[in-house]
Amino acid sequence: MGRRRKLRELMGAIKDKASQSKAAILCKLNTNTLSSSSSSSSSSSLHLTLLRATTHDPFTPPNPKSLAALLSFGLSSRATASSVVESLMDRLQTTHDSAVALKCLLAVHHVIKHGSFILQDQLSVYPAGGGRNYLNLSNFRDDSTPVAWELSSWVRWYAQYIENLLLTSRLLGFFVGSNSCIVEKDKEEERVSSLLNANLVRETESLVSLLEEICKRPESLGLGGNRLVIEVLGLVGKDQISAMNEISVRVNEFDQRLNCLSFGDSVELLGALKRSEDCEGRLLVVLNVKNDLVEGFWGLIREMKTKVGKEKESNNKLVATMRVERESFSESARFGDRVLRPSGSVQFSSARLAVNAFHLSTIQSCAR
């Protein structure tokens, strides 16, 4: 088994060397040929950089210099940035090697976190339809070695996570955890305060789904010391903290709107808070993050869940009271129709009608 793995690693190294040498020769020829266009030279250089960033080594993460060189292509034109995304996705879709696929996903994640605005913009519109499972890696399998087989489960999960991250980012209007899209806290709170209740609930649910996806990560029984997997978890861990911060902003906003939430919004919010609470103890332990900050987040979730639950129960009782009073009033009206003559006159208590009107207006206001 060990011999087979070493042979696989040797074959991967030879393949990397051959493909990179070929790309380097083509890049040099295009650079030295006067008749070659700048686009051809740039394409060859991009191909070589991509190969260097996505090697077949199943234990080593992409070289930081290679990733930086890949991201630097996004600093030029929009056409070049589009070529970067297309080339990266093409290599991801055509490879059958789990290490190459995982490194391609890592490169995509680096575009999200560190890419230029143009590069991120091209990624956000790829493909045009978007949607779930558009990376089409849910059935990815590499059974060439036991390590490759175990890495395959990480490829499937990581692809699903990246898709979820992109969907959430599209909904929020910025890339979650991106260094270039960090919004000042006061400006973010101002944006959130302007959202409708339904949109605020939708954003919260999407952020919670991101935490739930992190909880679904594979068990790394045989990959505990694999630096490639550790690199993946490092990036995801930073996203986790960003998502928790964004959820906190929205939960604090809901605290100001408790009396104005409709029954449906209350139910959906309570469900999102319960789902979030279920993630406690299953998320990543992120280094350099104080425990009191994490505990503060879970305390905020529990406190808000209790408040929403009480508000929902109060609304239920109010609705039930209104139903009983409305039925009682209707029954009294029907009885009056049976025993009174058209010429008769009845004096109703205006105080009671005022109370009923007050209750009804309160319910209608909360429903809105």
Side-chain angles (χ1 to χ4, degrees):
M1 189 70 68
R3 191 175 178 183
R4 182 184 178 186
R5 192 186 79 179
K6 289 182 179 180
L7 180 60
R8 167 66 186 268
E9 293 174 8
L10 179 60
M11 292 295 294
I14 293 174
K15 190 173 182 179
D16 287 334
K17 188 67 176 178
S19 57
Q20 290 178 31
S21 298
K22 180 181 178 181
I25 292 173
L26 291 175
C27 183
K28 188 174 182 180
L29 287 174
N30 287 330
T31 302
N32 295 335
T33 303
L34 295 177
S35 60
S36 65
S37 63
S38 59
S39 61
S40 177
S41 177
S42 177
S43 177
S44 300
S45 179
L46 170 60
H47 182 59
L48 176 59
T49 303
L50 181 58
L51 290 175
R52 287 173 175 170
T54 56
T55 62
H56 291 74
D57 185 351
F59 300 101
T60 307
N63 188 304
K65 292 183 178 180
S66 298
L67 284 175
L70 185 64
L71 295 179
S72 68
F73 284 94
L75 299 175
S76 54
S77 66
R78 187 172 297 273
T80 303
S82 177
S83 297
V84 173
V85 174
E86 288 181 5
S87 299
L88 183 55
M89 292 300 185
D90 182 64
R91 183 157 174 78
L92 175 62
Q93 296 294 328
T94 56
T95 187
H96 299 288
D97 187 280
S98 56
V100 173
L102 201 57
K103 290 178 184 181
C104 286
L105 291 170
L106 259 173
V108 173
H109 205 164
H110 272 273
V111 170
I112 294 173
K113 296 191 73 67
H114 309 293
S116 65
F117 172 78
I118 297 178
L119 196 56
Q120 291 177 342
D121 183 59
Q122 291 301 306
L123 179 63
S124 67
V125 297
Y126 178 92
R132 296 188 179 277
N133 196 33
Y134 74 84
L135 293 179
N136 196 28
L137 294 174
S138 57
N139 295 318
F140 184 90
R141 299 287 188 279
D142 179 4
D143 58 357
S144 55
T145 66
V147 172
W149 177 258
E150 195 163 0
L151 279 179
S152 296
S153 63
W154 283 90
V155 170
R156 295 191 296 272
W157 169 77
Y158 200 21
Q160 183 68 37
Y161 171 78
I162 292 294
E163 290 169 356
N164 204 319
L165 178 61
L166 289 173
L167 285 171
T168 300
S169 298
R170 287 188 183 115
L171 181 62
L172 268 61
F174 60 89
F175 283 103
V176 177
S178 172
N179 291 353
S180 61
C181 294
I182 294 178
V183 184
E184 294 181 13
K185 186 175 181 180
D186 55 343
K187 290 184 178 180
E188 174 62 3
E189 291 177 350
E190 182 179 351
R191 187 193 74 84
V192 168
S193 66
S194 67
L195 293 174
L196 297 175
N197 289 343
N199 294 337
L200 196 58
V201 170
R202 194 176 302 115
E203 287 190 359
T204 305
E205 289 178 327
S206 187
L207 286 163
V208 170
S209 70
L210 200 59
L211 296 185
E212 290 177 321
E213 195 62 47
I214 295 175
C215 295
K216 297 176 184 177
R217 64 190 180 279
E219 294 290 339
S220 55
L221 299 178
L223 300 173
N226 189 303
R227 291 195 295 132
L228 179 55
V229 172
I230 292 174
E231 179 77 11
V232 170
L233 294 178
L235 290 181
V236 173
K238 293 178 181 178
D239 291 344
Q240 175 182 301
I241 298 302
S242 296
M244 292 169 74
N245 288 334
E246 294 297 336
I247 291 173
S248 296
V249 171
R250 285 152 183 79
V251 169
N252 286 326
E253 177 61 27
F254 276 121
D255 195 24
Q256 307 297 320
R257 304 189 185 188
L258 277 179
N259 295 330
C260 298
L261 290 178
S262 68
F263 180 78
D265 289 336
S266 298
V267 171
E268 291 181 6
L269 175 59
L270 188 61
L273 293 171
K274 288 180 179 179
R275 287 164 48 204
S276 178
E277 193 176 33
D278 290 341
C279 294
E280 186 176 6
R282 300 163 54 207
L283 293 172
L284 293 169
V285 177
V286 183
L287 299 178
N288 302 322
V289 176
K290 296 181 180 179
N291 289 333
D292 56 344
L293 295 178
V294 177
E295 289 301 322
F297 171 79
W298 296 120
L300 178 65
I301 295 298
R302 285 190 288 269
E303 180 183 355
M304 191 61 185
K305 191 185 75 169
T306 301
K307 288 183 178 180
V308 175
K310 289 182 178 179
E311 188 70 20
K312 177 172 170 274
E313 184 179 350
S314 176
N315 286 339
N316 284 338
K317 290 181 179 179
L318 192 57
V319 170
T321 301
M322 278 298 304
R323 185 181 296 112
V324 171
E325 292 183 356
R326 187 168 57 249
E327 291 175 355
S328 176
F329 179 78
S330 299
E331 182 63 28
S332 298
R334 287 195 296 271
F335 177 77
D337 288 340
R338 289 195 297 268
V339 300
L340 295 179
R341 296 291 183 267
S343 59
S345 63
V346 177
Q347 297 293 327
F348 288 99
S349 171
S350 60
R352 180 183 175 185
L353 291 177
V355 170
N356 284 335
F358 173 75
H359 283 176
L360 182 59
S361 64
T362 302
I363 292 298
Q364 292 174 339
S365 174
C366 289
R368 287 197 295 270

